[in-house]
Amino acid sequence: MEIGIDSFAAILPDPTTGKLPSATERMADLIEEVVVADRVGLDVFGIGEHHRGEFLDSAPAVILAAAAARTGRIRLTSAVTVLSAADPVRVFQEFATLDLISKGRAEVVVGRGSFVEAYPLFGLDTRDYDDLFAEKLDLLLRLGETTNVTWEGRFRPALKGQGVFPRPHQPQLPLWIGVGGTPQSFARAGALGLPLMIAIIGGSFERFRPLVDLYREAGSRAGHSPDVLKVGVHAMGFVGETDTAAKDAFFPGWAYLTTKIGRERGWSPPTRQQFDAMAGPEGTFLIGDPKTVAAKMLQASETLGGVSRITFQMSTASLDTAAMKQSIELLGNEVAPIVRQARQV
């Protein structure tokens, strides 16, 4: 199992003073987090894409390129690229360039996005939410296969054999499909034979098993080998010296963002009791001491019929830089060895 971290580059106010750190300081801390993750042997670091004030990740390829210059082994990916609101040619060029800078460590996770701010920002209609994604995914896949593409669609000017450069360092740029809970998205990824990254930010892992089965069944019907039908999980996660320390470090930032976003979406304000339940044995938050987190990761993989990658969304704990770095070190030095040894048995 590959183990990594996803960050949305959250910039959060101090819970005591209410002051925000500068964006420059937060970005420097984020690059340092990637460096620490590389040093402790984690497999992958992902940067999300959002277009709102709480996050600094509107240009993930730029952040990842800065991280590539300071790391040597860790794979660097988006988490996710909002492909519906992007030009697939530019996405391919940006990540191919990242792949050259990183000497073959780039990946792309593409999705439709769980926020809609990108659509009006780039002059797109949310009523075309899925059609945009399907068409642009088709073009992005074509770009990965050939340099000179002939292609025509509804939402972008046609390509008539133009060359798309640069080409990546890797023979083919790895591409994952990021999904939430829509059955059609799972089935589409399976039919295309693309690896699947599931955002599981609440509920239970059991709830996603039928959807994972649907993905694998669609892939099998389309003639794809089980080896290519990889399943990844993106989940809220944080590691501390104790279960209590981990929860106390993660909760303030999580509560702040959940309250703010929930107010926009008509949700009730979250409570510490709800949070503790999600961090408990039946919840999907991978939060606790190293043994607690490792055991929960292994259980999640078993529940979903085998998981190839788990990434921790821990950027809501970024209020405490020292705690973030310690969590990354614990994940690499203590959690990962337990999980890897268990998977070899």
Side-chain angles (χ1 to χ4, degrees), residues 122-199:
F122 296 109
L124 300 167
D125 193 330
T126 53
R127 290 175 295 185
D128 297 321
Y129 184 75
D130 191 63
D131 290 342
L132 281 162
F133 181 73
E135 178 177 297
K136 293 184 177 188
L137 177 59
D138 175 65
L139 176 53
L140 186 60
L141 289 170
R142 294 281 299 279
L143 293 168
E145 294 168 354
T146 183
T147 303
N148 297 84
V149 177
T150 298
W151 177 93
E152 187 172 349
R154 288 173 53 204
F155 300 105
R156 188 200 186 281
L159 292 173
K160 300 179 180 179
Q162 297 98 318
V164 177
F165 304 101
R167 306 308 294 178
H169 176 88
Q170 298 173 86
Q172 192 157 14
L173 195 62
L175 175 66
W176 295 63
I177 300 293
V179 300
T182 307
Q184 293 87 340
S185 297
F186 285 78
R188 172 165 49 204
L192 292 170
L194 295 172
L196 185 76
M197 178 58 67
I198 314 168

Side-chain angles (χ1 to χ4, degrees), residues 4-156:
I5 295 167
D6 289 334
S7 176
F8 295 166
I11 182 164
L12 305 173
D14 184 283
T16 303
T17 66
K19 291 183 63 176
L20 282 171
S22 75
T24 303
E25 292 170 338
R26 177 66 188 106
M27 194 63 74
D29 288 340
L30 174 58
I31 299 300
E32 192 61 33
E33 290 164 18
V34 188
V35 171
V36 174
D38 185 55
R39 174 169 53 79
V40 300
L42 292 177
D43 298 295
V44 61
F45 202 108
I47 301 293
E49 180 189 342
H50 299 83
H51 300 271
R52 49 186 296 142
E54 301 90 352
F55 307 111
L56 300 176
D57 60 350
S58 63
V62 177
I63 300 172
L64 292 168
R70 294 193 54 196
T71 56
R73 191 199 57 81
I74 196 166
R75 297 194 67 78
L76 302 165
T77 184
S78 56
V80 304
T81 294
V82 184
L83 184 61
S84 302
D87 183 341
V89 173
R90 292 299 289 159
V91 170
F92 182 84
Q93 291 175 323
E94 288 167 359
F95 281 87
T97 302
L98 172 64
D99 203 48
L100 296 174
I101 294 169
S102 66
K103 299 179 181 177
R105 293 184 283 132
E107 298 182 359
V108 192
V109 181
V110 298
R112 296 175 298 182
S114 58
F115 294 86
V116 298
E117 286 83 2
Y119 291 83
L121 183 64
F122 296 109
L124 300 167
D125 193 330
T126 53
R127 290 175 295 185
D128 297 321
Y129 184 75
D130 191 63
D131 290 342
L132 281 162
F133 181 73
E135 178 177 297
K136 293 184 177 188
L137 177 59
D138 175 65
L139 176 53
L140 186 60
L141 289 170
R142 294 281 299 279
L143 293 168
E145 294 168 354
T146 183
T147 303
N148 297 84
V149 177
T150 298
W151 177 93
E152 187 172 349
R154 288 173 53 204
F155 300 105
R156 188 200 186 281

